[in-house]
Amino acid sequence: MGFIPHPEIPLGSLRPHDMLVLLVAGAVWEVLLRAILWSHKRKPTAIRLRELKFKELDRRVRKSRALGPPAFVETSKLERQQLAEEKALAELAEARKADLAAWQKLSRNLNLVVCGLIAFVYYGIPLLEFSPHHVTPRAGEVLTVEEAGVIAEAMMQAFLFPLSIFGMGIRVSKWGLPNPKSSVGALLVFWSAQTTVGKIIDGIE
C-alpha cells in the first residue's frame, strides 16, 4: 500500500521495452527537429557582419549630416549606400522568414509521417492496460466482468489525469486498441517524450 492508501492497480499488460524505445525515440526526434529549426532561426555570420557594417554606416551618415551643407555631396553618397544596404538587409530578412516557415511546415509534415508510422506499427497493441480480471474487489464483494471493467476504466482515467480530460490527442492515440478506455497506446508514449523535451528546450531558450 505504501504511504498513501490506494487500491491495487489492476495491471493486465505492460510492454516496458517498447515504452523505453518510444520514449527515447520521441526525445531524440524532438531534439533533432528543434536543432534543424534552430539552425534556420539563427542568423548566419555573414548577415550579422553586414548588420554591424550597416550600424557603422548609419553612424557615418549621422556624423556627415552634422557637418551641414559643406558635406552635402558626401552625405548624399552615404545616404544612398545606407538605403541600398537597408533594402538588401530587409530582403534577406524576408528570405530567412520564408525559409524558416518552409522548414517549420516540413518539420510538421515529417512529424506526422513518423507518428503515422508508429500508429501503423503498433496498431491494436496496448503498451499499458488495466484489466478487469485483475481488479481486486473489496472484502465480501463480488464483481461481474462488466463491473470490474468499469473500475479498470475509471482507474486508467485517474492514472492519466489530467491528460485524460484534454483534447483529441488522447483519443487519437487510442485508435485501434481493443480496450481504449483502459489502455495506453504507443503514440501517447511517443508524444509524452516529445512534449517533455520540447518544454525543457523552451525553458532553456
Side-chain angles (χ1 to χ4, degrees):
M1 294 283 286
F3 294 104
I4 302 176
H6 60 81
E8 183 178 349
I9 295 176
L11 185 61
S13 64
L14 176 66
R15 302 171 69 95
H17 295 99
D18 294 87
M19 294 180 77
L20 181 60
V21 169
L22 287 167
L23 286 171
V24 172
V28 171
W29 181 242
E30 182 67 17
V31 170
L32 180 61
L33 290 180
R34 293 297 188 104
I36 293 173
L37 291 178
W38 179 81
S39 68
H40 289 271
K41 287 180 181 179
R42 180 176 173 272
K43 285 184 181 179
T45 303
I47 293 180
R48 291 202 299 271
L49 290 175
R50 287 189 69 170
E51 288 177 342
L52 289 174
K53 290 179 180 179
F54 179 76
K55 289 180 181 179
E56 174 61 22
L57 181 59
D58 182 65
R59 186 189 66 79
R60 290 172 59 193
V61 168
R62 285 186 279 107
K63 184 177 179 180
S64 182
R65 284 172 181 167
L67 296 176
F72 175 76
V73 175
E74 181 65 19
T75 301
S76 299
K77 178 182 175 181
L78 291 173
E79 286 177 342
R80 286 194 296 270
Q81 291 179 7
Q82 183 186 37
L83 289 173
E85 187 63 16
E86 186 177 15
K87 181 180 178 182
L89 287 173
E91 290 175 351
L92 286 173
E94 287 299 319
R96 289 183 61 250
K97 185 177 179 180
D99 178 68
L100 178 60
W103 276 99
Q104 287 175 331
K105 182 179 180 180
L106 178 61
S107 68
R108 287 193 297 268
N109 291 337
L110 288 174
N111 196 53
L112 287 174
V113 170
V114 170
C115 290
L117 181 61
I118 292 172
F120 174 77
V121 171
Y122 284 93
Y123 185 80
I125 302 174
L127 298 192
L128 171 65
E129 183 176 11
F130 290 175
S131 171
H133 301 291
H134 291 80
V135 172
T136 303
R138 288 175 291 187
E141 184 180 27
V142 178
L143 298 173
T144 65
V145 175
E146 290 76 14
E147 292 171 335
V150 171
I151 294 174
E153 292 172 2
M155 294 186 73
M156 178 58 74
Q157 290 285 325
F159 181 74
L160 293 177
F161 183 83
L163 295 177
S164 55
I165 62 174
F166 292 132
M168 284 294 296
I170 297 293
R171 297 184 183 90
V172 170
S173 70
K174 293 174 178 287
W175 283 352
L177 297 179
N179 301 299
K181 292 185 178 180
S182 60
S183 54
V184 170
L187 280 177
L188 181 59
V189 177
F190 183 79
W191 287 339
S192 65
Q194 271 193 297
T195 302
T196 301
V197 172
K199 294 298 182 182
I200 292 173
I201 294 174
D202 288 340
I204 294 173
E205 291 180 343

